[in-house]
Amino acid sequence: MPLPVLAMMLCTFCIGTAESVIAGILPGIAQDVGVSLTAVGLLITVYAVAVVLVGPLVTAATATLRRTTLLPAMMGVFVMGNTLAASAPGFGWLLVGRVVSAVVHSTLIAAFVAAARDTAPPDRRAAYGAKVTLGIGLSSVAGVPAGTLIGNAFGWRATFWALAAVSLAATALLTRFPAPESPRGTAKPAGLRRTAAPDTGPGRRRFVLPGPMLLVAAVITLGTAGVFALYTYASPYLTQSAGFGSGSVTVLLLLYGLGGIVGNTAGGRAADRFPSAAVPATLGAAAAGLLLLALPPGNRWAVAGVFCLLGTAYFATIPALNNAIVSAAGPSSSTMALTVNNSAFCVGIALGSWLGGLLLARGNTLPTVAAAGAASTAAALLLALLHTRLRKAPPGPALPATGASHDTDTGTGTGTGTGTGTTVTGSGVPR
């Protein structure tokens, strides 16, 4: 692994740990700062909202900065956020620290994956991107358990101090082995199109996302929601439905994470070799796993095997979907596309957790939750097949130039709008 890619992977390991470790230290925070567990849960909700809403804006605002300046500076902001959380005198400042960390989350991961893809040979871009997102998989296997262990032994503040220290070390390594600059220069990304809108009057413009990118984002959201509808309630599923003891749950979740590491690596290679088939294949495997888990449990070890394979299938979708959304956006907008990609994953996680909780609140069983998850992931599969079919369709005839949309950047070809203000990428999309 090239040293710049290793440095970026360690940074994503820290980011992934910071995002999820809060769940393991919630009781300690609630007891120490004197608020309810429900209130402390806002630390997770507000973080996710900041990632989804602010991430694309931060990416657009920093699009012209060089990576050698941008990435260490944003990691510095991330370190500052964890330092604020560690030293917070009360719950309000702890919340501020979480938001500071969250505002750079999407941009950092997107820029790291884009830089890794630029480092790679042309036939290994998805695999190199997967090396960076491997850090997120490792955070679930090692980072979150270690952070929880530190918090339980030395207090929740120690978890944030440890995160700040490790993140600072990763930033130093990133400075020593900087990410490569984009070969396409620092032109404003094409992920957001500046488009003439009939209802805004002469000379006014509005920004819209290209249609193919939105379609892939919908695939990501539905596919992730399907998996997390069940994964959010993995512990009660494994104990109540599959019959495992509570002590076995930790081992099974660890195996799920290890399967995810395998899937992340294999998914990256598959996305490079079979770009059109990788997304449908990985989503189909995830939907099949959820459907099997929705069946009446038989042999519990068979259930355990399918559960671990679900982790492999889900993490294999990540590099495949990264590749798909970059292709849908066009070659000069990879960072913005990957930011939207990360936001779509976060929305999917929240949607899946909400769906699973809603079904259980209405008296449904955990296998029913798995079935609903399978239906959501199957819907994502159908949208992915539609996206593949649309990409293969020949472009339609060009419309008159009057009122047509135009890009703010150069280097990408575009098709024509439909008259509604939505811009669709055409011949500039790599096949």
Side-chain angles (χ1 to χ4, degrees):
M1 185 183 298
L3 288 174
V5 176
L6 175 61
M8 292 186 287
M9 186 193 74
L10 291 176
C11 289
T12 60
F13 170 81
C14 295
I15 295 168
T17 300
E19 179 183 21
S20 302
V21 74
I22 197 75
I25 56 176
L26 277 180
I29 295 175
Q31 183 177 0
D32 187 51
V33 302
V35 298
S36 66
L37 283 175
T38 303
V40 180
L42 288 174
L43 296 174
I44 298 174
T45 304
V46 172
Y47 189 99
V49 170
V51 168
V52 173
L53 297 183
V54 183
L57 300 178
V58 173
T59 299
T62 59
T64 59
L65 297 179
R66 294 174 60 85
R67 286 172 179 164
T68 50
T69 301
L70 174 66
L71 297 182
M74 298 196 89
M75 280 300 298
V77 173
F78 180 76
V79 172
M80 182 176 67
N82 284 291
T83 302
L84 278 172
S87 57
F91 182 70
W93 279 105
L94 176 56
L95 198 62
V96 170
R98 290 290 288 170
V99 171
V100 170
S101 298
V103 295
V104 296
H105 176 114
S106 282
T107 302
L108 276 171
I109 292 179
F112 286 146
V113 175
R117 290 171 63 92
D118 289 339
T119 303
D123 61 341
R124 297 198 63 198
R125 286 175 180 160
Y128 270 53
K131 292 178 187 295
V132 171
T133 57
L134 178 63
I136 299 175
L138 289 172
S139 72
S140 66
V141 174
V144 172
T148 302
L149 183 64
I150 291 172
N152 291 336
F154 304 105
W156 63 269
R157 294 180 188 273
T159 299
F160 285 110
W161 283 121
L163 264 172
V166 176
S167 300
L168 187 61
T171 304
L173 187 63
L174 183 66
T175 304
R176 175 66 180 83
F177 302 103
E181 296 298 336
S182 171
R184 292 174 289 276
T186 56
K188 193 169 184 178
L192 294 177
R193 309 290 188 191
R194 180 174 288 176
T195 306
D199 57 348
T200 56
R204 297 181 65 184
R205 298 290 185 268
R206 64 188 177 91
F207 288 103
V208 295
L209 290 169
M213 189 195 297
L214 288 176
L215 185 57
V216 178
V219 171
I220 295 168
T221 299
L222 289 173
T224 303
V227 174
F228 273 83
L230 179 66
Y231 182 74
T232 303
Y233 302 95
S235 180
Y237 173 84
L238 292 170
T239 54
Q240 297 174 20
S241 296
F244 284 96
S246 57
S248 302
V249 172
T250 302
V251 176
L252 289 170
L253 291 176
L254 175 62
L255 292 175
Y256 179 96
L258 292 173
I261 293 174
V262 174
N264 186 82
T265 303
R269 294 176 180 175
D272 282 322
R273 295 187 62 185
F274 312 104
S276 297
V279 171
T282 54
L283 285 173
L290 287 165
L291 188 60
L292 288 173
L293 293 174
L295 298 176
N299 187 300
R300 63 177 183 169
W301 295 111
V303 173
V306 174
F307 179 74
C308 296
L309 289 175
L310 176 63
T312 303
Y314 169 68
F315 277 88
T317 68
I318 295 175
L321 289 166
N322 287 348
N323 207 44
I325 202 165
V326 168
S327 296
S332 66
S333 56
S334 59
T335 303
M336 178 59 75
L338 290 165
T339 301
V340 173
N341 170 79
N342 190 65
S343 295
F345 273 111
C346 290
V347 172
I349 292 170
L351 180 62
S353 300
W354 171 82
L355 175 62
L358 178 66
L359 291 172
L360 292 175
R362 293 188 174 183
N364 292 283
T365 64
L366 287 160
T368 301
V369 173
S376 179
T377 306
L381 172 59
L382 292 176
L383 282 181
L385 293 172
L386 174 62
H387 174 257
T388 301
R389 183 173 180 179
L390 290 176
R391 286 187 60 196
K392 291 180 178 179
L399 296 178
T402 302
S405 57
H406 58 279
D407 295 332
T408 59
D409 60 303
T410 59
T412 56
T414 57
T416 56
T418 61
T420 62
T422 302
T423 304
V424 184
T425 58
S427 59
V429 179
R431 298 292 179 183

